[in-house]
Amino acid sequence: MLLVIEYEGTRYSGFQVQDKGATIQGELETAIRKLTSEQTRVSGSGRTDAGVHAAYQVVSYLSESSLGLDKIKGGLNFYLPPDIAVKEVHFVAESFDVRRRAISREYSYQILNSKTRSPLARLQAWQVPYKLDIKLMEQAFKMLEGEHDFIAFASSLGPEIKKTVRRVNWTRLDVREDRLIFNIEANSFLTHQVRNTIGTLVELGRGTMSMSEFEALFEAKTPGLAGPAAPACGLSLVRVNYREPFGS
């Protein structure tokens, strides 16, 4: 079974089940158990960090339930908390791997560039009160496109990470009054890569980093050199892309 879900991640300790704190995975598994009486493990297309949101996260799980798609969607949404919702439900082959079959992922990061806080935006944007050189930030953001070794933009590397070269397909900066929305798509991302990128761009935009220092990060071979990491609240997983439609 495959689900496309949306969530507001503020009160969660990330996607993956942990010893302490509520998680997206844990809430989904609880809802499935309440609906179908099945104790199953949910797999995600990726693991978002604590406080990160998702407009289009893809998850799958094994099920022998005879319920139809509409009843699964309605039933899970009944049992899920208000900050998590199932948007789509699909039957897929048991062999369908939502993580490995994904060909790219899209993220957005929102900055509120204002000296005045916004109560409405506080959970989904990072308030940056400094004057920023937006054109310079956009120029640097564009430099990420193509294949690069992004090891300097990774906070840490687990034993499962063998390569740190990633392909960024495109970047786009949308400016809407006092909102800066950084959009990026890549074949995959390293740990905290997007948040470290945004934090570095802000340092560049406020004049505490030079363009030559930013360019040097591409040649660096030390994890965590970029940053500091931008807060999790501004980051959203926008979409996970696959070659074929679900169920094909």
Side-chain angles (χ1 to χ4, degrees):
M1 194 67 64
L2 181 145
L3 310 176
V4 175
I5 63 171
E6 176 182 319
Y7 50 87
E8 201 276 294
T10 302
R11 72 181 188 92
Y12 295 99
S13 300
F15 177 85
Q16 189 176 16
V17 168
Q18 302 176 30
D19 293 336
K20 295 182 180 179
T23 64
I24 305 298
Q25 186 182 38
E27 295 289 350
L28 286 169
E29 291 173 357
T30 297
I32 292 168
R33 185 175 69 253
K34 290 179 177 178
L35 179 65
T36 67
S37 298
E38 294 177 308
Q39 188 78 36
T40 187
R41 175 60 73 195
V42 169
S43 299
S45 63
R47 301 171 183 173
T48 52
D49 297 327
V52 174
H53 320 296
Y56 193 98
Q57 169 73 284
V58 182
V59 305
S60 66
Y61 63 95
L62 297 178
S63 175
E64 297 181 357
S65 172
S66 60
L67 293 174
L69 297 180
D70 287 342
K71 288 189 176 181
I72 293 173
K73 179 180 177 181
L76 290 179
N77 281 329
F78 176 81
Y79 288 115
L80 285 168
D83 47 10
I84 305 175
V86 175
K87 310 296 286 187
E88 300 176 24
V89 182
H90 301 272
F91 290 122
V92 293
E94 184 176 328
S95 60
F96 189 93
D97 189 315
V98 292
R99 184 174 66 85
R100 290 187 172 86
R101 292 282 285 271
I103 59 173
S104 68
R105 293 162 177 83
E106 302 172 31
Y107 281 90
S108 72
Y109 194 97
Q110 184 172 174
I111 287 176
L112 172 66
N113 190 201
S114 172
K115 292 183 179 180
T116 305
R117 68 181 182 274
S118 169
L120 295 179
R122 68 185 179 87
L123 298 181
Q124 297 192 358
W126 174 24
Q127 182 191 355
V128 177
Y130 316 107
K131 181 177 175 58
L132 298 173
D133 187 334
I134 297 174
K135 288 187 177 180
L136 187 63
M137 294 171 71
E138 185 173 23
Q139 179 185 343
F141 195 39
K142 203 74 175 173
M143 290 172 58
L144 300 175
E145 294 181 353
E147 281 199 353
H148 304 282
D149 188 340
F150 287 100
I151 187 171
F153 293 86
S155 292
S156 61
L157 297 176
E160 74 281 2
I161 303 297
K162 306 300 181 184
K163 298 180 180 179
T164 52
V165 173
R166 296 292 186 270
R167 184 185 68 255
V168 173
N169 298 329
W170 53 262
T171 61
R172 187 182 72 250
L173 172 58
D174 297 329
V175 182
R176 304 172 187 171
E177 298 181 345
D178 58 2
R179 306 296 174 90
L180 307 180
I181 305 171
F182 295 83
N183 304 279
I184 184 170
E185 179 191 279
N187 61 333
S188 64
F189 292 90
L190 298 170
T191 304
H192 298 163
Q193 180 180 335
V194 178
R195 290 171 56 194
N196 284 328
T197 296
I198 299 301
T200 304
L201 291 175
V202 168
E203 294 299 300
L204 181 69
R206 62 182 292 201
T208 56
M209 170 181 279
S210 67
M211 181 59 87
S212 61
E213 289 174 318
F214 180 83
E215 292 172 345
L217 291 172
F218 291 98
E219 305 302 323
K221 302 299 180 184
T222 306
L225 208 58
C233 62
L235 185 60
S236 294
L237 174 61
V238 175
R239 190 168 183 86
V240 184
N241 298 306
Y242 297 83
R243 293 190 188 281
E244 304 91 14
F246 300 130
S248 62

